[in-house]
Structure formats: C-alpha cells, structure tokens
Amino acid sequence: MGRNLQIRVTATTFRPEDVARDWPRLVHLAWRGEQALPGAAPRGVLELARDLADVLRLEAPPEVRRALEADAARAQALADELDAALADWNPARANALSERLEALLDELEPLAPEAPFIVSRPRTKL
C-alpha cells in the first residue's frame, strides 16, 4: 500500500434486487420484505446471512427457529469467514466461501415460511 492509497479486497452484491428474486422467503423473514432502509444502500447476500441469523435467534416463532436456526448460524459463520478471507487478501478462498454461502441460502429458502400476501379491498365509490 502506498502512503495515501489504500488497497482493499471487498465483496459486494452486484445486483441487490437479485437477492429478493432468489430468496424471497428468506428476505421476508429477515427484513419483512424491505430490502433497503430509507437513505441506506440496498442489503445484499452478506447482510441477509447475518440478519437472518439474528432474526431467528431473537424474534422468530419457535417452529421457524427449529427449522432454520442451525443452518442460518452456519450461513452467518460463512459470511464471517468470507470477511476474514478478504481481510487476509485471499480472494480465491473468499470466492469459494461465497459459493458455499449461496448454496446454503438455496437450501434454506424452501424451509422458510411463505410471505403472507395481503389483498386490499376494492375501493367503494362514495
């Protein structure tokens, strides 16, 4: 690294909207379907892994927790390992961990509860 120039190896979700497309049930469970907070960047794969584990640990109904908690903790651990690999400037390891993380999220998706869909009543004319 230079005196003023810092080199970083990072992982980002290229298209955050793909997270909701690929894992809609997990997105609903972790974020109530809100992928971005007002004024904040959209959340991606790493945020999903971390937030899902937290929601399961703190808020989820017992049956959902039992079905997902162990694998969600594994997903959170993979996200942490990926960050450590990036900090060690090991992009090959980080890439392998990203593939394992996405495969684990694929396995978790069908186990998550479906998002409730609410249909509003048609407006009545006054």
Side-chain angles (χ1 to χ4, degrees):
M1 283 195 257
R3 183 173 35 95
N4 293 305
L5 186 62
Q6 186 177 48
I7 309 301
R8 293 184 181 191
V9 181
T10 64
T12 58
T13 301
F14 178 65
R15 290 175 37 104
E17 60 272 16
D18 291 347
V19 173
R21 182 200 67 213
D22 291 347
W23 303 295
R25 293 177 179 199
L26 297 177
V27 165
H28 176 75
L29 183 60
W31 303 322
R32 309 286 190 280
E34 296 293 329
Q35 197 170 352
L37 298 173
R43 299 179 270 199
V45 176
L46 294 174
E47 295 84 3
L48 178 61
R50 290 191 178 101
D51 293 347
L52 181 63
D54 289 342
V55 164
L56 287 168
R57 190 172 38 253
L58 302 172
E59 302 175 18
E63 65 278 2
V64 174
R65 182 178 298 122
R66 280 191 298 275
L68 300 172
E69 190 172 35
D71 285 335
R74 283 183 39 226
Q76 186 177 38
L78 284 171
D80 292 343
E81 285 183 57
L82 194 152
D83 280 343
L86 293 172
D88 290 341
W89 289 32
N90 190 342
R93 174 145 172 75
N95 185 60
L97 290 164
S98 74
E99 291 174 1
R100 286 177 53 198
L101 175 58
E102 289 183 347
L104 182 55
L105 292 173
D106 288 341
E107 291 174 24
L108 281 168
E109 174 64 18
L111 301 175
E114 288 192 48
F117 293 98
I118 300 169
V119 178
S120 58
R121 293 183 191 172
R123 280 197 226 179
T124 57
K125 293 183 181 180
L126 298 175

